[in-house]
Amino acid sequence: MIGLVLIATTVAQANLQITVDRVLRAAELRQTKVSLFAVDLKTNETLIHVNADDPMVPASNMKLITTAAALDSLGPEFIFRTELRVIGPDDWPGKEEQAVQFAHQGGTVLLVKGDGDPAFGDPKLLEQYHDMDGERLLGTWVDVVRSAGITHIDQVVVDDGVFDRELVHPSWPDDQLNRWYCAQVAGLNFFDNCLHVYPEPGQLNHSPHIVIRPEVPFLSTTNRAISGMADTFWVDRRMGNNDLTFMGKVKTRRSRPVKVTVHDPPMVFGQILADRLRRAGITVSGVGLAESEVPLPAGRPLHFVQTTLPAVLERCNKDSHNLFAEALIKRMGHRVTGAPGSWHNGSAAVRIVLRRLLGPRAAVVHIADGSGMSRDNRVTVHILVDLIAAMVKDNKRGPTFVNSLSIAGVDGTLRKRMKELAPHLYAKTGYLNGVTALSGLLVLPEAEPAQIDGA
């Protein structure tokens, strides 16, 4: 599945189609289904058309639809905001029974209010934009709490109600749910909703040393790995909890972590924050999740973390990060309906955008999730190309959309690919077992400056 929008001065339409047809015949692809479409944006001529209107599994090319819809639905100026607030004994209205019970007889509640930000605590963006890591972010919040004169907290409460609590899409593969690209999707996300595990070899045939980041001392772990003459280390997490088992052999010390997803990210973050507060000498009696039937007072703000939409789009498209796409689709659902964001109302929000941009023919698109991890998604390459063209022509949203794409030979998932097209191909890769996709924008050199800036 390949879709391209070309910005060009002259392109030989007939020659391209003839060449593509000849290559496909020579390839003897047999049962492989191919879908290709390319259009010259300057002349609106169709350059290549092969099964372009057949619905296909888009894999991560689905992120093009999700990010384009997010720019339209949320707006390029949208900012995710995660807040740390404190609710003191005097903030509770009266002494209603529910409030008294929840606040431990009118005690102090430290409230973390999520906004669905997939980048909260993201290791890459923290380093890129703030020159810090997850521990320094936690340390900042601990310092803020201490500076406010708070020495005891009755409960750390995480409010993740911006999204529903269906954390895993039902059509994602069960055997891959502990891998980073199937991270759970919550109203409060932290550290990509993963743990980074670093095994270090010890004495031959003995257990290796295991380092976990962020440090989570309350985890239950079993070390069945051994130090050996091969590197086959892996981590198993039992579904429904955070019990980890380390398996395989460890030969060398890893510089890159083995990533494993966590179950119930909001609760895990609340427990991590409570642990860091206790280490700083602040007592914490408990950790919980906010419940919609027990409304909380607003309290007063202590700190907040913000992430711009363009930063999220780049992480989503350049790095093909699934969590970012899923948070976007759920956040759109919340924006449109006012209800907790879900895959259901998020898909409806995306369909609204597609219909507005492309008309009734966009009804052929079937949206299951935002990232393309689900094999239930269906998109035609014709729709993808027309959507890219519509975004490129949009003076307000186009530059942000194009800048979120990988550049061949330069960055993202195309950093080591198609170097002969650097830096003229802006595209999104896609891969599932049995599915390969690539869609994007090819800017011929003589057209690049004027067209990209004015797109």
Side-chain angles (χ1 to χ4, degrees):
M1 181 177 185
I2 296 178
L4 280 178
V5 174
L6 282 81
I7 295 179
T9 51
T10 57
V11 177
Q13 174 187 1
N15 290 344
L16 271 179
Q17 184 68 53
I18 291 171
T19 300
V20 167
D21 290 341
R22 184 170 62 246
V23 169
L24 291 178
R25 285 194 301 270
E28 297 183 356
L29 298 175
R30 299 177 183 176
Q31 299 301 315
T32 300
K33 188 171 183 179
V34 177
S35 182
L36 306 172
F37 190 67
V39 64
D40 187 328
L41 192 60
K42 191 169 185 179
T43 65
N44 291 322
E45 285 185 275
T46 297
L47 305 174
I48 304 170
H49 190 299
V50 178
N51 302 321
D53 294 309
D54 292 355
M56 308 282 281
V57 177
S60 279
N61 274 207
M62 192 70 196
K63 294 182 177 75
L64 293 170
I65 292 177
T66 302
T67 53
L71 275 168
D72 187 275
S73 180
L74 302 176
E77 296 83 18
F78 179 82
I79 294 176
F80 289 93
R81 181 183 174 103
T82 305
E83 297 184 351
L84 180 68
R85 310 180 73 91
V86 62
I87 303 170
D90 297 334
D91 293 320
W92 295 90
K95 295 295 181 181
E96 292 91 344
E97 183 178 354
Q98 281 187 327
V100 172
Q101 289 178 351
F102 186 84
H104 294 274
Q105 309 304 320
T108 299
V109 169
L110 190 66
L111 176 66
V112 181
K113 189 169 182 60
D115 194 26
D117 184 0
F120 179 63
D122 173 65
K124 181 175 181 178
L125 293 184
L126 276 178
E127 180 179 358
Q128 181 176 344
Y129 290 105
H130 305 291
D131 192 27
M132 66 164 56
D133 58 17
E135 287 299 334
R136 283 187 61 191
L137 174 60
L138 290 166
T140 298
W141 276 19
V142 170
D143 290 343
V144 166
V145 172
R146 190 162 42 193
S147 296
I150 300 170
T151 58
H152 174 75
I153 296 167
D154 290 280
Q155 194 164 32
V156 172
V157 175
V158 179
D159 183 355
D160 63 341
V162 66
F163 292 170
D164 67 355
R165 287 187 177 148
E166 185 179 27
L167 303 177
V168 176
H169 195 279
S171 65
W172 289 354
D174 289 341
D175 61 344
Q176 298 176 48
L177 294 180
N178 65 342
R179 302 183 184 180
W180 71 269
Y181 51 81
C182 284
Q184 296 185 5
V185 186
L188 190 287
N189 307 292
F190 179 70
F191 211 74
D192 297 344
N193 294 344
C194 288
L195 297 173
H196 289 189
V197 181
Y198 298 86
E200 300 177 1
Q203 187 177 347
L204 190 64
N205 294 325
H206 286 68
S207 297
H209 178 59
I210 307 294
V211 176
I212 300 176
R213 294 288 181 267
E215 192 176 341
V216 192
F218 48 83
L219 279 183
S220 173
T221 63
T222 302
N223 193 352
R224 294 179 181 170
I226 62 171
S227 303
M229 301 304 294
D231 281 311
T232 60
F233 178 83
W234 57 285
V235 183
D236 178 56
R237 177 178 66 79
R238 294 181 62 187
M239 296 301 100
N241 61 43
N242 286 305
D243 296 344
L244 303 183
T245 302
F246 308 125
M247 310 286 286
K249 297 180 179 181
V250 180
K251 179 181 178 181
T252 58
R253 182 175 181 176
R254 286 177 179 253
S255 59
R256 291 188 177 183
V258 175
K259 299 179 182 179
V260 59
T261 61
V262 299
H263 174 67
D264 197 354
M267 192 64 180
V268 170
F269 175 76
Q271 293 171 321
I272 290 174
L273 180 59
D275 173 75
R276 303 308 190 269
L277 290 165
R278 292 177 180 125
R279 294 186 190 189
I282 301 169
T283 59
V284 180
S285 297
V287 178
L289 300 179
E291 298 294 340
S292 58
E293 62 271 18
V294 184
L296 296 173
R300 60 186 175 93
L302 295 178
H303 199 264
F304 61 86
V305 176
Q306 296 187 147
T307 309
T308 65
L309 184 62
V312 170
L313 297 186
E314 287 193 21
R315 193 83 163 95
C316 180
N317 281 337
K318 285 185 182 292
D319 299 325
S320 201
H321 206 303
N322 289 355
L323 173 63
F324 284 64
E326 304 305 345
L328 284 172
I329 196 170
K330 285 194 172 190
R331 194 59 179 77
M332 282 186 273
H334 175 69
R335 165 63 70 90
V336 170
T337 66
S342 66
W343 277 292
H344 179 73
N345 59 27
S347 297
V350 174
R351 286 194 293 270
I352 291 171
V353 173
L354 289 180
R355 183 177 178 86
R356 188 184 68 75
L357 292 178
L358 305 178
R361 63 194 183 86
V364 70
V365 178
H366 179 73
I367 303 165
D369 65 10
S371 68
M373 189 66 209
S374 172
R375 290 180 178 270
D376 292 340
N377 295 299
R378 290 294 184 276
V379 182
T380 71
V381 71
H382 197 160
I383 288 289
L384 281 177
V385 166
D386 286 354
L387 179 64
I388 294 169
M391 295 304 295
V392 170
K393 293 175 182 177
D394 188 321
N395 290 326
K396 182 179 180 182
R397 301 170 181 85
T400 302
F401 180 77
V402 173
N403 289 336
S404 75
L405 303 178
S406 296
I407 304 174
V410 175
D411 62 14
T413 56
L414 287 175
R415 183 172 61 88
K416 296 182 179 180
R417 295 178 59 187
M418 304 182 187
K419 295 183 179 181
E420 66 278 9
L421 295 177
H424 308 300
L425 176 65
Y426 303 76
K428 179 75 198 73
T429 58
Y431 175 77
L432 289 173
N433 188 24
V435 179
T436 301
L438 177 74
S439 300
L441 172 70
L442 179 62
V443 186
L444 297 189
E446 63 270 24
E448 185 169 14
Q451 290 294 339
I452 284 294
D453 292 342

